[in-house]
Amino acid sequence: MTLVITTCTNRKRQSVTGELRICTLPSAHLADLAAEWGDRLSSAEVRFPAHEIYGGRGFQEARSVARELNAQLLVVSAGLGLIDASSEVPPYACTILTNAPDSVASRVDGAFSSSRWWASLVSASPFSVDFWELVNRQDGMILCALSDAYLEMIADDLLALPEVTRARLRLFTRAPIERIANALRQFVMPYDDRLNGPDSPISGTLSDFAGRALRHFASEILVGDHRRSLTEHTALVTAALAGWRLPEKAVRIRLEDREILELMRAHWRGCGGIPLRRLRNEFNVACEQGRYARLASAIRSEQV
């Protein structure tokens, strides 16, 4: 059995109640905050299979790979812990990203550490599964498609794996290599910005980079043979990308929110909306995914 592990997403496909927004908790020491949050999770009555809650291409790529490999799909969630994607869980709003409205860091009295939050969360959450138990009861590959912040959050769990178990680990991330623990760097598959270049069959955005790298690895590198070594996998990825060109660096216009909203309104009706890719590539506007989601939500609320 192979394990596919991916990052949760801020894009939720189900409504989040006020009680399950981390911003509604009073500030507290980290362990106390995790305990209070765990109590709220336990009391939540409305639940859905986790795979019905998360949106975004990166998550869907991981889910597709898990289905094709007949693998168990796990989600690293800053609000729920490590969860099975088929488990029924409540929609929630909680992230370790510091610039988000529901950042857990803003509720912690004192210094915040994502790894310390993770250790407290997996103990307090009624939905978190035991990582050690999962990896020890199977001998397949452990494929982790993770953002840099979430890879850093669970790094201690990966570092604690026995050497023979860690040999089954493959990491897919766009995190700068210097931000990754030394003992984990060798397991990072050497995907880079060429994945977004003109020769890539699976281009996309930075936010879904890890999921797309996982997709390419599963489709083009594994190809039914899971017995190859880390060295062989690294060499195969390097060879696959050898002829690919880097994307041209686009210099995009930076606009205020009100200016982007005006542009989106002008092209919204009759066009089925204005996707982020079109906003960037056709109108040459600089806009990161979280900001776009917020502005698009504002436009949709105007259309009701």
Side-chain angles (χ1 to χ4, degrees):
M1 171 70 75
T2 296
L3 293 180
V4 172
I5 305 176
T6 191
T7 305
C8 68
T9 65
N10 283 335
R11 291 180 59 189
K12 302 297 193 300
R13 297 161 66 185
Q14 306 293 342
S15 298
V16 180
T17 65
E19 284 291 304
L20 287 183
R21 291 187 176 278
I22 197 74
C23 66
T24 64
L25 267 68
S27 297
H29 292 297
L30 189 145
D32 295 334
L33 190 71
E36 171 62 23
W37 181 246
D39 289 342
R40 291 195 181 190
L41 292 176
S42 297
S43 301
E45 296 181 355
V46 178
R47 302 179 184 183
F48 303 90
H51 61 76
E52 294 183 6
I53 293 177
Y54 298 113
R57 181 182 177 185
F59 179 81
Q60 295 305 322
E61 293 285 11
R63 187 183 178 197
S64 177
V65 167
R67 284 198 300 263
E68 292 177 13
L69 298 181
N70 194 28
Q72 183 174 4
L73 178 60
L74 302 172
V75 184
V76 176
S77 163
L80 300 176
L82 183 65
I83 60 170
D84 188 298
S86 64
S87 297
E88 293 203 347
V89 298
Y92 66 95
C94 176
T95 180
I96 57 169
L97 301 180
T98 57
N99 60 348
D102 284 284
S103 170
V104 64
S106 67
R107 315 314 303 157
V108 174
D109 281 341
F112 174 73
S113 161
S114 64
S115 59
R116 286 182 55 236
W117 168 252
W118 179 252
S120 296
L121 175 65
V122 296
S123 296
S125 171
F127 305 107
S128 191
V129 297
D130 189 315
F131 180 56
W132 275 75
E133 179 185 351
L134 287 171
V135 298
N136 286 332
R137 75 185 185 198
Q138 58 88 32
D139 59 1
M141 301 192 68
I142 306 168
L143 308 177
C144 299
L146 301 169
S147 67
D148 52 352
Y150 282 64
L151 176 55
E152 182 179 3
M153 181 171 70
I154 72 163
D156 288 346
D157 285 356
L158 301 178
L159 290 167
L161 293 173
E163 187 174 344
V164 66
T165 303
R166 212 184 306 161
R168 298 189 269 123
L169 183 64
R170 302 292 183 270
L171 298 176
F172 306 90
T173 184
R174 197 62 192 93
I177 198 68
E178 62 272 11
R179 288 187 53 184
I180 300 173
N182 284 332
L184 296 178
R185 292 178 185 179
Q186 63 180 312
F187 303 105
V188 178
M189 293 292 95
Y191 289 96
D192 57 28
D193 287 343
R194 287 174 291 178
L195 199 65
N196 294 330
D199 304 304
S200 171
I202 192 167
S203 61
T205 66
L206 181 61
S207 64
D208 52 44
F209 180 95
R212 290 184 291 112
L214 170 65
R215 152 61 56 202
H216 182 270
F217 184 82
S219 302
E220 305 297 332
I221 307 301
L222 282 185
V223 290
D225 185 354
H226 298 196
R227 296 168 295 177
R228 291 191 177 102
S229 68
L230 174 64
T231 300
E232 290 173 312
H233 281 152
T234 300
L236 286 169
V237 173
T238 299
L241 272 61
W244 294 8
R245 292 165 291 171
L246 288 166
E248 292 185 7
K249 188 68 174 179
V251 179
R252 296 192 170 98
I253 305 168
R254 296 195 173 276
L255 300 177
E256 299 292 331
D257 281 2
R258 59 177 177 78
E259 295 172 302
I260 296 179
L261 284 169
E262 289 175 6
L263 178 62
M264 293 173 72
R265 289 188 188 103
H267 295 272
W268 197 268
R269 293 187 181 278
C271 301
I274 177 169
L276 177 57
R277 187 186 295 269
R278 185 179 178 213
L279 190 66
R280 288 171 170 171
N281 297 340
E282 182 177 338
F283 297 98
N284 203 33
V285 172
C287 186
E288 56 90 20
Q289 192 168 27
R291 184 187 185 196
Y292 171 82
R294 174 171 55 81
L295 296 176
S297 178
I299 294 291
R300 292 189 191 96
S301 67
E302 295 175 0
Q303 309 301 314
V304 175

